Amino acid sequence: MADKKHTWRTAYHILPPKGWLNDPNGSTYYKGEYHIWFQYSPETPLGGQKYWGHYTSKDMVHFTYQGISLSPDQPFDKDGVYSGTAWTASDGSLELYYTGNVKHPGDFDYINEGRGHNVVRVTSKDGFHFSEKELLLENKDYPEDLSCHVRDPKIWQEGEIYYMLLGARRRDSVGGLLLMKSEDDRRTWQIEREFFPDGFGFMLECPDYFTLGDQNVVAFCPQGVENQENRLQNIYQSGYVLLGDRSLSGSSDEELGQAITLDQFTEWDMGFDFYAPQTFVAADGRQILVGWAGVPDCSYGNAPSIEEGWQHSMTVLRELEVRDGIIRQNPVRELDLLRGVRRELGSVGMIPSTCFDLVIERESQESHQDFCLNLNQDLTFTVRKEGVETVASLTFINNSGDGRDVRRSLCQEFRNARILMDHCILEIYLNNGEQVFTTRYYPDQGQVDLQGGLLFELPADCSAVMYEMETGILIPEE
Ligand code: FRU
């Protein structure tokens, strides 16, 4: 049995007070504070009715839970306050746009019949108190070729015009994007265009659109894409396409068709547990990404955390930078504020904690040896040559992954890694954030007392420094 004091609960990754968490929602910087809402099912760790739970932060690493902001209490959202995003209006008020989910009682497939996906808006002057809900769009307002699945609004402005991007499933089960346009105060919307890029399966969820450096970026979560050996290995995917100076509003179907292809789709994260991210702009202009460290409908589970009455967390907040055709992701620099005791590690030994930030550097950049990190004899992370390719692999050796086995990705030779471990989650940032691998990890399945930490083994040509991490998440007692 695990030591009584042992818990899998995360210390610096946003998690549900109890019950279930999925997508981040409404992430924004507003009036001096960061707000992250999340899809929340407080009743059970297995998921259920969806609310918006709320965290705030002054610095993107110390978060305080603020309770539930939005509940399914109207006919147009009675079966779930689904995902959405925030927009700050020119009069300084905060607007939240979300999908109201409705399941009509009856014998329906709930894809082409029986479901309502409505766009709903609430506004606020302070980020804590909200107006009455306004129903803005219903399924009858969307193009006729779409099924009932049209959700997860993202809003932006170009000149005098506002745009809303929604993820959609066509009636014949092809995934696409729906662009709506508003020329008033974002109350009335017209259809601007639909777009169904080739090869992305039956549904696109949680679309995003933003500018990073000199690139317009479109991001979404396709469902129904075939797995490949070294990419696209989860049941559902999450990634982005760099559009250059092409825009969703101004480019022809042909231009978008050439740009948005599976080949040019880069996954945000190559681990087992990543989905439905969203981006927002920090106070100083950095583009920040936060993702759900989980995937719906996957074959692996989280039995150890479910036993404690909760499931899933977010990733840490990541800052984005575009260079050489990819977006690099690194933990927000503020994460250093949570660094406590620092220790230099040798190449074999014990990391005396299960909550740490570990920085590994290859000492000689001339070295072409394989890299292998072994944690606790139950997980390895390797970067190896396979013929002409270099492959990173994350492998569970026993059931410390509760069904997780292997994830692989083509990459550059190993130069460095930053590894964030937070009791039951591991985020591996490879080569200055060129790739990230996020996974749940339950070392030893709680069979031994892990208070002592994790055994590790590293190649001799690497140096490693670890910092014990302090707690960033505060959940006040009710
Ligand atoms: C993505 C998603 C969204 C939906 C929400 C419901 O994980 O399926 O498309 O709005 O979760 O919780």
Side-chain angles (χ1 to χ4, degrees):
M1 277 295 287
D3 183 285
K4 259 212 209 94
K5 280 177 294 192
H6 177 266
T7 171
W8 300 109
R9 285 182 67 78
T10 53
Y12 60 96
H13 287 77
I14 287 175
L15 79 173
K18 60 183 169 61
W20 160 284
L21 166 153
N22 59 296
D23 316 356
N25 291 152
S27 316
T28 191
Y29 178 70
Y30 180 66
K31 293 195 174 167
E33 264 178 305
Y34 293 93
H35 295 259
I36 310 275
W37 283 271
F38 60 97
Q39 287 287 284
Y40 187 20
S41 300
E43 294 92 2
T44 141
L46 302 179
Q49 183 63 298
K50 298 288 164 77
Y51 300 71
W52 276 33
H54 188 197
Y55 274 95
T56 58
S57 174
K58 295 266 188 227
D59 60 6
M60 299 198 272
V61 293
H62 292 92
F63 284 95
T64 305
Y65 178 65
Q66 303 288 356
I68 288 175
S69 300
L70 300 175
S71 305
D73 52 13
Q74 299 295 318
F76 50 74
D77 65 9
K78 72 178 184 61
D79 298 298
V81 180
Y82 274 15
S83 286
T85 52
W87 175 257
T88 302
S90 53
D91 71 356
S93 55
L94 181 71
E95 303 176 343
L96 300 179
Y97 294 80
Y98 69 86
T99 298
N101 180 51
V102 177
K103 283 179 93 174
H104 300 293
D107 181 22
F108 296 119
D109 67 359
Y110 294 106
I111 298 169
N112 287 323
E113 283 180 291
R115 184 186 295 273
H117 271 174
N118 306 306
V119 177
V120 185
R121 168 166 85 176
V122 293
T123 63
S124 174
K125 296 274 180 228
D126 61 5
F128 295 91
H129 303 91
F130 289 92
S131 67
E132 299 267 289
K133 295 173 177 174
E134 282 173 275
L135 173 61
L136 302 182
L137 292 167
E138 303 172 70
N139 291 78
K140 65 175 172 43
D141 303 313
Y142 310 138
E144 278 178 4
D145 60 347
L146 295 185
S147 72
C148 308
H149 286 239
V150 180
R151 58 178 175 265
D152 310 333
K154 162 83 186 187
I155 312 290
W156 72 93
Q157 181 175 12
E158 290 175 24
E160 301 285 287
I161 300 178
Y162 298 96
Y163 290 98
M164 178 192 293
L165 189 64
L166 291 148
R169 174 176 181 148
R170 217 163 58 191
R171 295 184 75 84
D172 59 352
S173 288
V174 174
L177 299 170
L178 170 61
L179 187 64
M180 306 290 290
K181 162 174 153 178
S182 172
E183 295 182 84
D184 61 11
D185 55 355
R186 298 165 302 288
R187 192 177 303 254
T188 57
W189 296 87
Q190 297 90 42
I191 297 167
E192 174 72 1
R193 75 189 305 174
E194 303 172 88
F195 181 69
F196 300 93
D198 275 344
F200 285 100
F202 60 84
M203 171 73 192
L204 305 186
E205 295 191 308
C206 299
D208 197 354
Y209 183 65
F210 57 94
T211 303
L212 187 66
D214 58 358
Q215 297 277 341
N216 291 326
V217 184
V218 63
F220 49 85
C221 298
Q223 299 188 318
V225 173
E226 236 176 78
N227 299 147
Q228 295 180 13
E229 194 189 355
N230 295 317
R231 65 190 289 248
L232 307 165
Q233 294 156 95
N234 290 343
I235 176 168
Y236 304 140
Q237 325 299 341
S238 175
Y240 64 87
V241 173
L242 298 179
L243 295 176
D245 58 5
R246 284 171 291 227
S247 69
L248 289 185
S249 59
S251 304
S252 65
D253 278 357
E254 200 188 338
E255 285 172 314
L256 288 186
Q258 281 166 5
I260 307 179
T261 64
L262 200 54
D263 278 352
Q264 290 167 99
F265 180 77
T266 305
E267 288 167 89
W268 288 115
D269 196 291
M270 302 309 290
F272 294 88
D273 294 279
F274 186 91
Y275 198 65
Q278 44 182 235
T279 60
F280 64 96
V281 179
D284 61 3
R286 276 174 294 164
Q287 192 80 27
I288 307 296
L289 177 130
V290 56
W292 171 29
V295 179
D297 306 330
C298 55
S299 57
Y300 38 88
N302 292 301
S305 87
I306 291 172
E307 226 170 86
E308 291 184 351
W310 67 283
Q311 185 171 196
H312 300 308
S313 69
M314 298 299 168
T315 64
V316 297
L317 275 54
R318 302 174 178 175
E319 42 186 87
L320 305 183
E321 185 198 359
V322 64
R323 221 190 311 149
D324 307 329
I326 61 157
I327 298 180
R328 285 162 203 263
Q329 303 167 65
N330 282 292
V332 287
R333 56 200 74 166
E334 289 84 348
L335 199 68
D336 292 5
L337 295 170
L338 297 183
R339 283 177 168 179
V341 178
R342 175 184 189 278
R343 289 173 214 273
E344 282 177 26
L345 303 178
S347 51
V348 187
M350 180 88 166
I351 302 175
S353 170
T354 54
C355 185
F356 57 79
D357 179 352
L358 171 63
V359 179
I360 303 170
E361 286 284 343
R362 171 160 272 172
E363 279 164 348
S364 154
Q365 296 302 326
E366 271 79 68
S367 167
H368 300 289
Q369 278 173 27
D370 289 348
F371 172 82
C372 178
L373 167 70
N374 184 318
L375 279 183
N376 222 46
Q377 313 291 330
D378 50 26
L379 179 146
T380 59
F381 181 69
T382 59
V383 179
R384 285 203 182 111
K385 278 254 172 277
E386 288 187 10
V388 291
E389 292 175 332
T390 305
V391 180
S393 317
L394 173 64
T395 310
F396 283 91
I397 297 163
N398 61 33
N399 202 32
S400 60
D402 196 16
R404 289 161 185 80
D405 48 16
V406 183
R407 287 293 177 265
R408 290 162 54 89
S409 174
L410 298 183
C411 65
Q412 302 291 317
E413 263 185 36
F414 182 87
R415 301 193 301 282
N416 55 55
R418 182 163 173 197
I419 299 184
L420 303 180
M421 171 85 191
D422 189 358
H423 300 301
C424 70
I425 183 175
L426 202 56
E427 292 185 59
I428 302 174
Y429 292 80
L430 177 62
N431 292 340
N432 303 313
E434 280 170 12
Q435 290 189 343
V436 194
F437 297 74
T438 297
T439 186
R440 275 307 135 194
Y441 170 38
Y442 301 96
D444 271 342
Q445 279 274 9
Q447 295 308 300
V448 298
D449 174 11
L450 285 166
Q451 301 298 315
L454 296 182
L455 299 168
F456 76 93
E457 208 176 325
L458 273 169
D461 68 345
C462 291
S463 69
V465 172
M466 66 150 293
Y467 302 84
E468 288 186 22
M469 289 295 271
E470 288 165 7
T471 299
I473 306 297
L474 176 68
I475 302 179
E477 303 269 326
E478 278 177 81

